[in-house]
């Protein structure tokens, strides 16, 4: 399998990784800008102070703008499980999409195909597990909503590149719904201690994409329970 990756653009916005062994996470973003050219230039502009490792446009062309061995500045203030500020332990991948601000649209088939091939290479190279392939909003729910509810996580899960519950499980009887849900989201990795409501919306953006309110109902709890079980299963294997 050969994947064509362009090195035409390089971003100055990075620093040396403390330790390559810490690298165990992939964070998926959208660019949230009007077109790919301006997004690519922005990420490569010293003044923007942001970057990512990879950039995939709608035609599925891939640029590597920061080397894997460097820490790119894509995650910002972030938390997942007990880890904060995920830049130093992650690879950031930007998908071109105008985002919620400029006309959010479906990601293209070419983007998915290139993204999936790229992730396959990265997980082999760095031994990255499925439960560490996340969206920006998963790790920064108060600030971020990318890659957003149009991103097809289920498609990635079919190729073993993300976690999606195989079935929706029934929940235990006599539970306090909100506490139970809080604990489930906490166990999955969301920063509920900082902000429960934004974590709930981030969870829905990823796993219940048609319903982005803060409503708590039986379906939400069942899906959260099923997702947490699926995460537990993957984590029990390593
Ligand atoms: Zn982002």
């Amino acid at each position: 399998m050969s994947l064509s990756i362009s090195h035409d653009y390089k971003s100055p916005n990075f620093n040396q990784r403390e330790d390559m062994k810490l690298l165990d996470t992939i964070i998926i973003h959208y660019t949230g800008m009007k077109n790919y050219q301006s997004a690519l230039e922005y990420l490569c502009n010293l003044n923007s102070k942001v970057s990512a490792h990879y950039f995939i446009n709608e035609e599925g062309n891939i640029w590597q703008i920061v080397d894997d061995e460097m820490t790119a500045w894509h995650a910002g203030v972030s938390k997942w499980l007990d880890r904060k500020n995920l830049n130093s332990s992650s690879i950031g991948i930007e998908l071109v999409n105008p985002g919620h601000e400029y006309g959010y649209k479906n990601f293209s088939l070419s983007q998915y195909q290139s993204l999936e091939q790229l992730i396959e290479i990265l997980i082999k190279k760095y031994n990255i597990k499925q439960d560490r392939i996340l969206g920006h909003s998963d790790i920064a729910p108060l600030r971020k909503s990318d890659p957003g509810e149009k991103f097809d996580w289920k498609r990635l899960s079919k190729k073993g590149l993300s976690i999606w519950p195989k079935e929706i499980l029934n929940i235990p009887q006599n539970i306090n719904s909100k506490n139970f849900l809080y604990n489930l989201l906490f166990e999955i990795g969301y920063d509920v201690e900082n902000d429960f409501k934004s974590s709930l919306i981030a969870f829905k953006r990823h796993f219940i994409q048609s319903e982005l309110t803060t409503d708590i109902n039986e379906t939400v709890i069942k899906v959260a329970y099923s997702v947490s079980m699926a995460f537990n299963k993957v984590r029990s294997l390593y």
Side-chain angles (χ1 to χ4, degrees):
M1 184 171 64
S2 74
L3 191 59
S4 165
I5 298 177
S6 167
H7 293 267
D8 287 354
Y9 281 79
K10 285 292 165 191
S11 175
N13 303 323
F14 64 84
N15 52 281
Q16 189 74 41
R17 280 193 197 278
E18 285 165 42
D19 186 351
M20 274 303 274
K21 286 192 212 87
L22 296 175
L23 172 52
D24 64 358
T25 300
I26 291 173
I27 303 297
I28 297 171
H29 303 260
Y30 69 44
T31 51
M33 292 183 74
K34 283 176 183 162
N35 58 60
Y36 96 84
Q37 196 67 31
S38 51
L40 195 49
E41 281 166 14
Y42 184 71
L43 293 165
C44 293
N45 184 328
L46 184 65
N47 297 320
S48 76
K49 301 263 190 285
V50 293
S51 61
H53 295 88
Y54 297 93
F55 181 99
I56 306 178
N57 74 1
E58 285 157 313
E59 284 72 48
N61 299 317
I62 307 177
W63 284 260
Q64 177 156 30
I65 59 175
V66 173
D67 291 345
D68 294 354
E69 289 72 23
M70 302 296 160
T71 295
W73 302 340
H74 60 97
V77 176
S78 50
K79 187 168 185 282
W80 186 253
L81 295 171
D82 54 3
R83 189 178 301 164
K84 286 182 179 167
N85 300 323
L86 278 83
N87 277 340
S88 55
S89 56
S90 66
I91 294 264
I93 304 176
E94 287 278 356
L95 300 175
V96 170
N97 191 303
H100 294 88
E101 206 172 330
Y102 297 108
Y104 187 38
K105 57 181 175 183
N106 288 328
F107 296 91
S108 72
L109 180 60
S110 305
Q111 271 180 317
Y112 282 115
Q113 288 169 338
S114 294
L115 175 68
E116 287 160 358
Q117 285 187 57
L118 177 60
I119 294 177
E120 276 171 13
I121 290 169
L122 294 172
I123 60 178
K124 276 192 199 127
K125 206 167 178 183
Y126 302 116
N127 194 26
I128 292 167
K129 306 293 196 296
Q130 290 165 321
D131 67 316
R132 295 277 184 177
I133 299 172
L134 302 165
H136 199 186
S137 60
D138 293 318
I139 62 163
L142 257 182
R143 300 185 302 116
K144 295 292 175 181
S145 50
D146 62 314
E149 62 278 8
K150 291 185 192 291
F151 184 77
D152 194 348
W153 291 102
K154 194 174 178 184
R155 183 190 150 106
L156 266 67
S157 78
K158 286 178 186 157
K159 300 186 160 72
L161 305 178
S162 74
I163 291 183
W164 196 265
K166 289 210 165 45
E167 54 176 343
I168 299 305
L169 305 166
N170 284 317
I171 48 177
Q173 296 294 309
N174 303 321
I175 51 152
N176 175 321
S177 310
K178 197 187 165 190
N179 283 350
F180 189 57
L181 183 60
Y182 182 101
N183 289 331
L184 291 172
L185 297 189
F186 178 79
E187 275 177 30
I188 294 166
Y190 288 94
D191 189 9
V192 285
E193 289 168 311
N194 184 39
D195 192 85
F196 174 69
K197 282 190 173 171
S198 66
S199 298
L200 175 56
I201 290 175
F203 169 78
K204 290 186 180 182
R205 230 183 255 294
H206 190 135
F207 294 102
I208 313 177
Q209 297 180 318
S210 59
E211 204 268 283
L212 298 181
T213 69
T214 53
D215 286 355
I216 299 173
N217 55 47
E218 199 184 341
T219 304
V220 175
I221 297 171
K222 277 184 170 178
V223 174
Y225 182 57
S226 309
V227 169
S228 86
M229 287 297 167
F231 271 76
N232 287 346
K233 196 174 168 194
V234 168
R235 287 169 180 157
S236 71
L237 300 173
Y238 67 88

PDB file of all heavy atoms in Angstrom, residues 66-100:
ATOM      1  N   VAL A  66       3.971  18.994   9.357  1.00  0.00           N
ATOM      2  CA  VAL A  66       4.866  18.876  10.522  1.00  0.00           C
ATOM      3  C   VAL A  66       5.274  17.402  10.621  1.00  0.00           C
ATOM      4  O   VAL A  66       4.442  16.506  10.454  1.00  0.00           O
ATOM      5  CB  VAL A  66       4.166  19.323  11.831  1.00  0.00           C
ATOM      6  CG1 VAL A  66       5.040  19.024  13.051  1.00  0.00           C
ATOM      7  CG2 VAL A  66       3.828  20.813  11.803  1.00  0.00           C
ATOM      8  N   ASP A  67       6.548  17.155  10.875  1.00  0.00           N
ATOM      9  CA  ASP A  67       7.015  15.767  10.995  1.00  0.00           C
ATOM     10  C   ASP A  67       6.430  15.098  12.228  1.00  0.00           C
ATOM     11  O   ASP A  67       6.229  15.747  13.258  1.00  0.00           O
ATOM     12  CB  ASP A  67       8.548  15.734  11.108  1.00  0.00           C
ATOM     13  CG  ASP A  67       9.217  16.148   9.807  1.00  0.00           C
ATOM     14  OD1 ASP A  67       8.520  16.175   8.771  1.00  0.00           O
ATOM     15  OD2 ASP A  67      10.421  16.453   9.836  1.00  0.00           O
ATOM     16  N   ASP A  68       6.215  13.791  12.136  1.00  0.00           N
ATOM     17  CA  ASP A  68       5.672  13.034  13.272  1.00  0.00           C
ATOM     18  C   ASP A  68       6.523  13.212  14.530  1.00  0.00           C
ATOM     19  O   ASP A  68       6.014  13.180  15.650  1.00  0.00           O
ATOM     20  CB  ASP A  68       5.640  11.525  12.963  1.00  0.00           C
ATOM     21  CG  ASP A  68       4.661  11.174  11.845  1.00  0.00           C
ATOM     22  OD1 ASP A  68       3.923  12.074  11.390  1.00  0.00           O
ATOM     23  OD2 ASP A  68       4.659   9.996  11.440  1.00  0.00           O
ATOM     24  N   GLU A  69       7.825  13.365  14.329  1.00  0.00           N
ATOM     25  CA  GLU A  69       8.761  13.445  15.467  1.00  0.00           C
ATOM     26  C   GLU A  69       8.640  14.757  16.237  1.00  0.00           C
ATOM     27  O   GLU A  69       9.255  14.918  17.295  1.00  0.00           O
ATOM     28  CB  GLU A  69      10.207  13.288  14.972  1.00  0.00           C
ATOM     29  CG  GLU A  69      10.574  11.892  14.502  1.00  0.00           C
ATOM     30  CD  GLU A  69       9.935  11.522  13.164  1.00  0.00           C
ATOM     31  OE1 GLU A  69       9.581  12.437  12.385  1.00  0.00           O
ATOM     32  OE2 GLU A  69       9.767  10.315  12.918  1.00  0.00           O
ATOM     33  N   MET A  70       7.881  15.690  15.686  1.00  0.00           N
ATOM     34  CA  MET A  70       7.697  16.986  16.350  1.00  0.00           C
ATOM     35  C   MET A  70       6.291  17.089  16.941  1.00  0.00           C
ATOM     36  O   MET A  70       5.364  16.431  16.478  1.00  0.00           O
ATOM     37  CB  MET A  70       7.901  18.129  15.350  1.00  0.00           C
ATOM     38  CG  MET A  70       9.260  18.118  14.686  1.00  0.00           C
ATOM     39  SD  MET A  70      10.579  18.378  15.888  1.00  0.00           S
ATOM     40  CE  MET A  70      11.989  17.736  14.979  1.00  0.00           C
ATOM     41  N   THR A  71       6.153  17.946  17.949  1.00  0.00           N
ATOM     42  CA  THR A  71       4.834  18.238  18.507  1.00  0.00           C
ATOM     43  C   THR A  71       4.207  19.358  17.695  1.00  0.00           C
ATOM     44  O   THR A  71       4.731  20.476  17.669  1.00  0.00           O
ATOM     45  CB  THR A  71       4.977  18.689  19.981  1.00  0.00           C
ATOM     46  OG1 THR A  71       5.491  17.595  20.744  1.00  0.00           O
ATOM     47  CG2 THR A  71       3.638  19.113  20.558  1.00  0.00           C
ATOM     48  N   ALA A  72       3.095  19.045  17.029  1.00  0.00           N
ATOM     49  CA  ALA A  72       2.362  20.091  16.303  1.00  0.00           C
ATOM     50  C   ALA A  72       1.367  20.735  17.264  1.00  0.00           C
ATOM     51  O   ALA A  72       0.981  20.137  18.269  1.00  0.00           O
ATOM     52  CB  ALA A  72       1.646  19.492  15.093  1.00  0.00           C
ATOM     53  N   TRP A  73       0.950  21.946  16.931  1.00  0.00           N
ATOM     54  CA  TRP A  73       0.079  22.705  17.836  1.00  0.00           C
ATOM     55  C   TRP A  73      -1.359  22.675  17.329  1.00  0.00           C
ATOM     56  O   TRP A  73      -1.846  23.637  16.736  1.00  0.00           O
ATOM     57  CB  TRP A  73       0.602  24.138  17.953  1.00  0.00           C
ATOM     58  CG  TRP A  73       2.033  24.200  18.444  1.00  0.00           C
ATOM     59  CD1 TRP A  73       2.714  23.221  19.112  1.00  0.00           C
ATOM     60  CD2 TRP A  73       2.945  25.285  18.288  1.00  0.00           C
ATOM     61  NE1 TRP A  73       3.997  23.637  19.386  1.00  0.00           N
ATOM     62  CE2 TRP A  73       4.165  24.908  18.890  1.00  0.00           C
ATOM     63  CE3 TRP A  73       2.861  26.552  17.700  1.00  0.00           C
ATOM     64  CZ2 TRP A  73       5.283  25.722  18.923  1.00  0.00           C
ATOM     65  CZ3 TRP A  73       3.979  27.384  17.735  1.00  0.00           C
ATOM     66  CH2 TRP A  73       5.173  26.973  18.339  1.00  0.00           C
ATOM     67  N   HIS A  74      -2.034  21.563  17.582  1.00  0.00           N
ATOM     68  CA  HIS A  74      -3.388  21.381  17.042  1.00  0.00           C
ATOM     69  C   HIS A  74      -4.447  21.172  18.115  1.00  0.00           C
ATOM     70  O   HIS A  74      -5.609  21.490  17.902  1.00  0.00           O
ATOM     71  CB  HIS A  74      -3.401  20.188  16.072  1.00  0.00           C
ATOM     72  CG  HIS A  74      -3.000  18.894  16.714  1.00  0.00           C
ATOM     73  ND1 HIS A  74      -3.925  17.994  17.176  1.00  0.00           N
ATOM     74  CD2 HIS A  74      -1.778  18.373  16.999  1.00  0.00           C
ATOM     75  CE1 HIS A  74      -3.272  16.961  17.709  1.00  0.00           C
ATOM     76  NE2 HIS A  74      -1.984  17.163  17.623  1.00  0.00           N
ATOM     77  N   ALA A  75      -4.084  20.640  19.258  1.00  0.00           N
ATOM     78  CA  ALA A  75      -5.100  20.251  20.244  1.00  0.00           C
ATOM     79  C   ALA A  75      -5.437  21.379  21.223  1.00  0.00           C
ATOM     80  O   ALA A  75      -6.581  21.526  21.635  1.00  0.00           O
ATOM     81  CB  ALA A  75      -4.638  19.019  21.012  1.00  0.00           C
ATOM     82  N   GLY A  76      -4.450  22.181  21.594  1.00  0.00           N
ATOM     83  CA  GLY A  76      -4.677  23.248  22.572  1.00  0.00           C
ATOM     84  C   GLY A  76      -5.036  22.674  23.939  1.00  0.00           C
ATOM     85  O   GLY A  76      -4.702  21.524  24.248  1.00  0.00           O
ATOM     86  N   VAL A  77      -5.695  23.487  24.738  1.00  0.00           N
ATOM     87  CA  VAL A  77      -6.111  23.034  26.072  1.00  0.00           C
ATOM     88  C   VAL A  77      -7.067  21.870  25.887  1.00  0.00           C
ATOM     89  O   VAL A  77      -8.090  21.992  25.227  1.00  0.00           O
ATOM     90  CB  VAL A  77      -6.785  24.183  26.846  1.00  0.00           C
ATOM     91  CG1 VAL A  77      -7.310  23.680  28.192  1.00  0.00           C
ATOM     92  CG2 VAL A  77      -5.819  25.340  27.038  1.00  0.00           C
ATOM     93  N   SER A  78      -6.717  20.727  26.450  1.00  0.00           N
ATOM     94  CA  SER A  78      -7.484  19.520  26.154  1.00  0.00           C
ATOM     95  C   SER A  78      -7.296  18.485  27.256  1.00  0.00           C
ATOM     96  O   SER A  78      -6.337  18.553  28.028  1.00  0.00           O
ATOM     97  CB  SER A  78      -7.008  18.941  24.811  1.00  0.00           C
ATOM     98  OG  SER A  78      -5.596  18.825  24.779  1.00  0.00           O
ATOM     99  N   LYS A  79      -8.229  17.548  27.301  1.00  0.00           N
ATOM    100  CA  LYS A  79      -8.125  16.486  28.317  1.00  0.00           C
ATOM    101  C   LYS A  79      -8.841  15.240  27.825  1.00  0.00           C
ATOM    102  O   LYS A  79      -9.916  15.325  27.209  1.00  0.00           O
ATOM    103  CB  LYS A  79      -8.737  16.966  29.638  1.00  0.00           C
ATOM    104  CG  LYS A  79      -8.520  15.995  30.796  1.00  0.00           C
ATOM    105  CD  LYS A  79      -8.878  16.638  32.127  1.00  0.00           C
ATOM    106  CE  LYS A  79      -8.549  15.724  33.304  1.00  0.00           C
ATOM    107  NZ  LYS A  79      -9.528  14.651  33.503  1.00  0.00           N
ATOM    108  N   TRP A  80      -8.265  14.087  28.094  1.00  0.00           N
ATOM    109  CA  TRP A  80      -8.907  12.795  27.813  1.00  0.00           C
ATOM    110  C   TRP A  80      -8.427  11.814  28.867  1.00  0.00           C
ATOM    111  O   TRP A  80      -7.215  11.725  29.105  1.00  0.00           O
ATOM    112  CB  TRP A  80      -8.544  12.285  26.410  1.00  0.00           C
ATOM    113  CG  TRP A  80      -9.283  11.048  26.011  1.00  0.00           C
ATOM    114  CD1 TRP A  80      -8.777   9.774  25.914  1.00  0.00           C
ATOM    115  CD2 TRP A  80     -10.666  10.954  25.659  1.00  0.00           C
ATOM    116  NE1 TRP A  80      -9.763   8.919  25.521  1.00  0.00           N
ATOM    117  CE2 TRP A  80     -10.932   9.605  25.352  1.00  0.00           C
ATOM    118  CE3 TRP A  80     -11.720  11.882  25.576  1.00  0.00           C
ATOM    119  CZ2 TRP A  80     -12.201   9.157  24.971  1.00  0.00           C
ATOM    120  CZ3 TRP A  80     -12.970  11.438  25.204  1.00  0.00           C
ATOM    121  CH2 TRP A  80     -13.211  10.093  24.902  1.00  0.00           C
ATOM    122  N   LEU A  81      -9.337  11.138  29.520  1.00  0.00           N
ATOM    123  CA  LEU A  81      -9.000  10.301  30.672  1.00  0.00           C
ATOM    124  C   LEU A  81      -8.208  11.163  31.662  1.00  0.00           C
ATOM    125  O   LEU A  81      -8.642  12.253  31.975  1.00  0.00           O
ATOM    126  CB  LEU A  81      -8.243   9.042  30.239  1.00  0.00           C
ATOM    127  CG  LEU A  81      -9.060   8.069  29.362  1.00  0.00           C
ATOM    128  CD1 LEU A  81      -8.184   6.962  28.798  1.00  0.00           C
ATOM    129  CD2 LEU A  81     -10.236   7.456  30.148  1.00  0.00           C
ATOM    130  N   ASP A  82      -7.042  10.690  32.083  1.00  0.00           N
ATOM    131  CA  ASP A  82      -6.296  11.492  33.054  1.00  0.00           C
ATOM    132  C   ASP A  82      -5.195  12.314  32.392  1.00  0.00           C
ATOM    133  O   ASP A  82      -4.333  12.859  33.068  1.00  0.00           O
ATOM    134  CB  ASP A  82      -5.714  10.595  34.155  1.00  0.00           C
ATOM    135  CG  ASP A  82      -4.890   9.479  33.576  1.00  0.00           C
ATOM    136  OD1 ASP A  82      -4.729   9.429  32.330  1.00  0.00           O
ATOM    137  OD2 ASP A  82      -4.403   8.641  34.347  1.00  0.00           O
ATOM    138  N   ARG A  83      -5.262  12.441  31.072  1.00  0.00           N
ATOM    139  CA  ARG A  83      -4.198  13.164  30.382  1.00  0.00           C
ATOM    140  C   ARG A  83      -4.656  14.552  29.930  1.00  0.00           C
ATOM    141  O   ARG A  83      -5.721  14.700  29.366  1.00  0.00           O
ATOM    142  CB  ARG A  83      -3.718  12.383  29.176  1.00  0.00           C
ATOM    143  CG  ARG A  83      -2.474  12.999  28.577  1.00  0.00           C
ATOM    144  CD  ARG A  83      -1.947  12.226  27.427  1.00  0.00           C
ATOM    145  NE  ARG A  83      -1.622  10.848  27.806  1.00  0.00           N
ATOM    146  CZ  ARG A  83      -1.433   9.900  26.918  1.00  0.00           C
ATOM    147  NH1 ARG A  83      -1.557  10.153  25.637  1.00  0.00           N
ATOM    148  NH2 ARG A  83      -1.137   8.678  27.311  1.00  0.00           N
ATOM    149  N   LYS A  84      -3.801  15.525  30.190  1.00  0.00           N
ATOM    150  CA  LYS A  84      -4.102  16.892  29.774  1.00  0.00           C
ATOM    151  C   LYS A  84      -3.179  17.312  28.632  1.00  0.00           C
ATOM    152  O   LYS A  84      -2.098  16.774  28.481  1.00  0.00           O
ATOM    153  CB  LYS A  84      -3.899  17.855  30.950  1.00  0.00           C
ATOM    154  CG  LYS A  84      -4.992  17.762  31.986  1.00  0.00           C
ATOM    155  CD  LYS A  84      -4.759  18.779  33.095  1.00  0.00           C
ATOM    156  CE  LYS A  84      -5.890  18.680  34.114  1.00  0.00           C
ATOM    157  NZ  LYS A  84      -5.584  19.401  35.336  1.00  0.00           N
ATOM    158  N   ASN A  85      -3.642  18.305  27.865  1.00  0.00           N
ATOM    159  CA  ASN A  85      -2.826  18.902  26.797  1.00  0.00           C
ATOM    160  C   ASN A  85      -2.218  17.834  25.892  1.00  0.00           C
ATOM    161  O   ASN A  85      -1.052  17.469  26.034  1.00  0.00           O
ATOM    162  CB  ASN A  85      -1.757  19.808  27.396  1.00  0.00           C
ATOM    163  CG  ASN A  85      -2.409  20.919  28.199  1.00  0.00           C
ATOM    164  OD1 ASN A  85      -3.456  21.439  27.823  1.00  0.00           O
ATOM    165  ND2 ASN A  85      -1.820  21.263  29.330  1.00  0.00           N
ATOM    166  N   LEU A  86      -3.026  17.379  24.977  1.00  0.00           N
ATOM    167  CA  LEU A  86      -2.666  16.181  24.213  1.00  0.00           C
ATOM    168  C   LEU A  86      -1.701  16.409  23.045  1.00  0.00           C
ATOM    169  O   LEU A  86      -1.340  15.448  22.369  1.00  0.00           O
ATOM    170  CB  LEU A  86      -3.936  15.464  23.719  1.00  0.00           C
ATOM    171  CG  LEU A  86      -4.561  14.552  24.794  1.00  0.00           C
ATOM    172  CD1 LEU A  86      -5.438  15.347  25.727  1.00  0.00           C
ATOM    173  CD2 LEU A  86      -5.339  13.412  24.196  1.00  0.00           C
ATOM    174  N   ASN A  87      -1.285  17.644  22.818  1.00  0.00           N
ATOM    175  CA  ASN A  87      -0.345  17.874  21.710  1.00  0.00           C
ATOM    176  C   ASN A  87       0.867  16.947  21.789  1.00  0.00           C
ATOM    177  O   ASN A  87       1.274  16.362  20.790  1.00  0.00           O
ATOM    178  CB  ASN A  87       0.160  19.323  21.703  1.00  0.00           C
ATOM    179  CG  ASN A  87      -0.822  20.266  21.018  1.00  0.00           C
ATOM    180  OD1 ASN A  87      -1.676  19.836  20.251  1.00  0.00           O
ATOM    181  ND2 ASN A  87      -0.689  21.548  21.297  1.00  0.00           N
ATOM    182  N   SER A  88       1.422  16.829  22.991  1.00  0.00           N
ATOM    183  CA  SER A  88       2.699  16.108  23.114  1.00  0.00           C
ATOM    184  C   SER A  88       2.550  14.597  22.941  1.00  0.00           C
ATOM    185  O   SER A  88       3.546  13.900  22.776  1.00  0.00           O
ATOM    186  CB  SER A  88       3.343  16.417  24.466  1.00  0.00           C
ATOM    187  OG  SER A  88       2.435  16.123  25.491  1.00  0.00           O
ATOM    188  N   SER A  89       1.329  14.093  22.958  1.00  0.00           N
ATOM    189  CA  SER A  89       1.162  12.648  22.802  1.00  0.00           C
ATOM    190  C   SER A  89       0.337  12.288  21.567  1.00  0.00           C
ATOM    191  O   SER A  89      -0.114  11.152  21.436  1.00  0.00           O
ATOM    192  CB  SER A  89       0.512  12.063  24.057  1.00  0.00           C
ATOM    193  OG  SER A  89      -0.721  12.711  24.320  1.00  0.00           O
ATOM    194  N   SER A  90       0.153  13.242  20.666  1.00  0.00           N
ATOM    195  CA  SER A  90      -0.747  12.946  19.546  1.00  0.00           C
ATOM    196  C   SER A  90      -0.223  13.398  18.190  1.00  0.00           C
ATOM    197  O   SER A  90       0.686  14.217  18.079  1.00  0.00           O
ATOM    198  CB  SER A  90      -2.106  13.607  19.792  1.00  0.00           C
ATOM    199  OG  SER A  90      -1.971  15.009  19.776  1.00  0.00           O
ATOM    200  N   ILE A  91      -0.859  12.812  17.182  1.00  0.00           N
ATOM    201  CA  ILE A  91      -0.718  13.241  15.790  1.00  0.00           C
ATOM    202  C   ILE A  91      -2.022  13.957  15.438  1.00  0.00           C
ATOM    203  O   ILE A  91      -3.109  13.435  15.725  1.00  0.00           O
ATOM    204  CB  ILE A  91      -0.575  11.996  14.876  1.00  0.00           C
ATOM    205  CG1 ILE A  91       0.726  11.251  15.148  1.00  0.00           C
ATOM    206  CG2 ILE A  91      -0.756  12.375  13.399  1.00  0.00           C
ATOM    207  CD1 ILE A  91       1.866  11.578  14.252  1.00  0.00           C
ATOM    208  N   GLY A  92      -1.927  15.119  14.819  1.00  0.00           N
ATOM    209  CA  GLY A  92      -3.122  15.865  14.422  1.00  0.00           C
ATOM    210  C   GLY A  92      -3.346  15.788  12.921  1.00  0.00           C
ATOM    211  O   GLY A  92      -2.413  15.979  12.136  1.00  0.00           O
ATOM    212  N   ILE A  93      -4.573  15.476  12.548  1.00  0.00           N
ATOM    213  CA  ILE A  93      -4.926  15.389  11.120  1.00  0.00           C
ATOM    214  C   ILE A  93      -6.053  16.372  10.828  1.00  0.00           C
ATOM    215  O   ILE A  93      -7.124  16.294  11.443  1.00  0.00           O
ATOM    216  CB  ILE A  93      -5.379  13.964  10.733  1.00  0.00           C
ATOM    217  CG1 ILE A  93      -4.300  12.937  11.098  1.00  0.00           C
ATOM    218  CG2 ILE A  93      -5.719  13.905   9.235  1.00  0.00           C
ATOM    219  CD1 ILE A  93      -4.704  11.482  10.836  1.00  0.00           C
ATOM    220  N   GLU A  94      -5.820  17.273   9.903  1.00  0.00           N
ATOM    221  CA  GLU A  94      -6.829  18.267   9.509  1.00  0.00           C
ATOM    222  C   GLU A  94      -7.520  17.813   8.224  1.00  0.00           C
ATOM    223  O   GLU A  94      -6.861  17.502   7.226  1.00  0.00           O
ATOM    224  CB  GLU A  94      -6.166  19.628   9.235  1.00  0.00           C
ATOM    225  CG  GLU A  94      -5.688  20.360  10.467  1.00  0.00           C
ATOM    226  CD  GLU A  94      -6.799  21.134  11.189  1.00  0.00           C
ATOM    227  OE1 GLU A  94      -7.948  21.158  10.684  1.00  0.00           O
ATOM    228  OE2 GLU A  94      -6.502  21.695  12.267  1.00  0.00           O
ATOM    229  N   LEU A  95      -8.846  17.808   8.262  1.00  0.00           N
ATOM    230  CA  LEU A  95      -9.629  17.528   7.057  1.00  0.00           C
ATOM    231  C   LEU A  95     -10.232  18.841   6.582  1.00  0.00           C
ATOM    232  O   LEU A  95     -10.811  19.580   7.380  1.00  0.00           O
ATOM    233  CB  LEU A  95     -10.765  16.553   7.387  1.00  0.00           C
ATOM    234  CG  LEU A  95     -10.354  15.190   7.935  1.00  0.00           C
ATOM    235  CD1 LEU A  95     -11.603  14.404   8.333  1.00  0.00           C
ATOM    236  CD2 LEU A  95      -9.547  14.416   6.902  1.00  0.00           C
ATOM    237  N   VAL A  96     -10.086  19.111   5.305  1.00  0.00           N
ATOM    238  CA  VAL A  96     -10.658  20.348   4.779  1.00  0.00           C
ATOM    239  C   VAL A  96     -12.186  20.254   4.819  1.00  0.00           C
ATOM    240  O   VAL A  96     -12.777  19.283   4.348  1.00  0.00           O
ATOM    241  CB  VAL A  96     -10.171  20.611   3.341  1.00  0.00           C
ATOM    242  CG1 VAL A  96     -10.945  21.760   2.703  1.00  0.00           C
ATOM    243  CG2 VAL A  96      -8.676  20.913   3.354  1.00  0.00           C
ATOM    244  N   ASN A  97     -12.782  21.239   5.458  1.00  0.00           N
ATOM    245  CA  ASN A  97     -14.245  21.369   5.522  1.00  0.00           C
ATOM    246  C   ASN A  97     -14.507  22.783   6.030  1.00  0.00           C
ATOM    247  O   ASN A  97     -13.840  23.222   6.974  1.00  0.00           O
ATOM    248  CB  ASN A  97     -14.842  20.339   6.497  1.00  0.00           C
ATOM    249  CG  ASN A  97     -16.362  20.253   6.399  1.00  0.00           C
ATOM    250  OD1 ASN A  97     -17.068  21.241   6.562  1.00  0.00           O
ATOM    251  ND2 ASN A  97     -16.868  19.056   6.143  1.00  0.00           N
ATOM    252  N   PRO A  98     -15.455  23.514   5.425  1.00  0.00           N
ATOM    253  CA  PRO A  98     -15.702  24.882   5.883  1.00  0.00           C
ATOM    254  C   PRO A  98     -16.131  24.935   7.353  1.00  0.00           C
ATOM    255  O   PRO A  98     -15.983  25.975   7.997  1.00  0.00           O
ATOM    256  CB  PRO A  98     -16.844  25.360   4.978  1.00  0.00           C
ATOM    257  CG  PRO A  98     -16.864  24.426   3.818  1.00  0.00           C
ATOM    258  CD  PRO A  98     -16.334  23.117   4.311  1.00  0.00           C
ATOM    259  N   GLY A  99     -16.667  23.840   7.859  1.00  0.00           N
ATOM    260  CA  GLY A  99     -17.037  23.788   9.270  1.00  0.00           C
ATOM    261  C   GLY A  99     -18.336  24.514   9.566  1.00  0.00           C
ATOM    262  O   GLY A  99     -18.968  25.083   8.675  1.00  0.00           O
ATOM    263  N   HIS A 100     -18.714  24.510  10.834  1.00  0.00           N
ATOM    264  CA  HIS A 100     -20.011  25.061  11.232  1.00  0.00           C
ATOM    265  C   HIS A 100     -20.141  26.544  10.909  1.00  0.00           C
ATOM    266  O   HIS A 100     -21.227  27.052  10.716  1.00  0.00           O
ATOM    267  CB  HIS A 100     -20.247  24.818  12.724  1.00  0.00           C
ATOM    268  CG  HIS A 100     -20.394  23.367  13.069  1.00  0.00           C
ATOM    269  ND1 HIS A 100     -19.319  22.559  13.371  1.00  0.00           N
ATOM    270  CD2 HIS A 100     -21.484  22.569  13.137  1.00  0.00           C
ATOM    271  CE1 HIS A 100     -19.745  21.335  13.622  1.00  0.00           C
ATOM    272  NE2 HIS A 100     -21.053  21.304  13.488  1.00  0.00           N
TER     273      HIS A 100
END
